[in-house]
Amino acid sequence: MPELALASWSGGKDSMLALLAARAAGVEVRWLLAMLDETGAKLRSHGVSLALMRAQARALGAELVAPPASWDDYEAVFTARLRELAALGAKSVVFGDIDLQAHRDWEERVCLQAGLQAMLPLWGRQRPGLAHEFIALGYKARVVCVDNRFLPGTFCGRLFDADFIADLPHGVDACGENGEFHTFVFDGPGFVQPVAHHVRAFSAYTTPQRFGAVRYTFAQLEPEHAG
């Protein structure tokens, strides 16, 4: 039998490439673990609604596990879900990180606490190459959040494509690995159908002072239903 696994899931392009690589290696990624904000209505970092995250998981043939958490109890909630999924048979956790060692250290630590193995199939790859590979594979993604320290709000809501990458200011990573922007993947390899949606509005958010009072622009996506 294939090894059972879950993916630490943001719904974005790096998570998607890691999922693709794990499945290509014969791993059965049955669960997508996506962390919501305290309201339980949207993804904590990307701002994508629970309804769209569920639609994305269904299109990918996986079960969404989406607990709410604050930044203060994020690790405790995340680790608790890892333990629950380990009890259901999961052996490993797929992460989409590329080269940030602090992220890998945290991931390996929480996996160890839950008796799971951390899998990082994108680790050590070249960032620009991954961005272009994602597009070449036929994936479609929308930029749902930008950090206004790096990008103006006009970049938010755009498709993540070759034009988007070409328009990025000097010094902004093509993968957004430093948090410059986040994406929502809605079609491509592994999808049984596209996740139909449209941009309903844009909103600004400034983090609390203890997190640096950083200003972000979010695209508020809304599902589209046939008929």
Side-chain angles (χ1 to χ4, degrees), residues 141-144 154-161 163-165 167:
R142 190 173 302 281
V143 177
V144 292
T154 52
F155 277 81
C156 194
R158 291 181 56 175
L159 293 178
F160 179 79
D161 54 16
D163 288 339
F164 178 87
I165 294 174
D167 289 343

Side-chain angles (χ1 to χ4, degrees), residues 45-193:
S45 295
H46 293 208
V48 178
S49 71
L50 177 57
L52 278 172
M53 296 302 294
R54 284 174 172 162
Q56 185 190 52
R58 285 195 301 270
L60 289 166
E63 178 184 342
L64 183 70
V65 178
S70 69
W71 283 124
D72 293 326
D73 67 359
Y74 185 101
E75 181 172 324
V77 173
F78 189 89
T79 307
R81 291 303 183 274
L82 293 187
R83 291 194 177 106
E84 290 172 6
L85 294 173
L88 293 176
K91 301 298 182 186
S92 55
V93 187
V94 180
F95 295 94
D97 288 280
I98 302 170
D99 57 21
L100 297 180
Q101 189 63 48
H103 289 193
R104 179 168 190 155
D105 291 344
W106 182 87
E107 291 156 1
E108 291 180 340
R109 177 167 57 82
V110 295
C111 284
L112 182 63
Q113 292 171 10
L116 295 166
Q117 180 71 36
M119 294 178 58
L120 290 89
L122 307 185
W123 190 257
R125 298 280 304 276
Q126 292 298 311
R127 296 183 187 182
L130 281 171
H132 289 288
E133 177 184 335
F134 177 85
I135 296 167
L137 285 167
Y139 281 110
K140 296 180 181 179
R142 190 173 302 281
V143 177
V144 292
C145 172
V146 300
D147 182 334
N148 296 137
R149 293 174 299 179
F150 303 101
L151 293 170
T154 52
F155 277 81
C156 194
R158 291 181 56 175
L159 293 178
F160 179 79
D161 54 16
D163 288 339
F164 178 87
I165 294 174
D167 289 343
L168 290 174
H170 178 72
V172 174
D173 178 47
C175 277
E177 183 73 351
N178 304 307
E180 297 99 326
F181 61 89
H182 298 301
T183 57
F184 174 74
V185 185
F186 60 90
D187 197 12
F191 281 77
V192 297
Q193 62 188 25

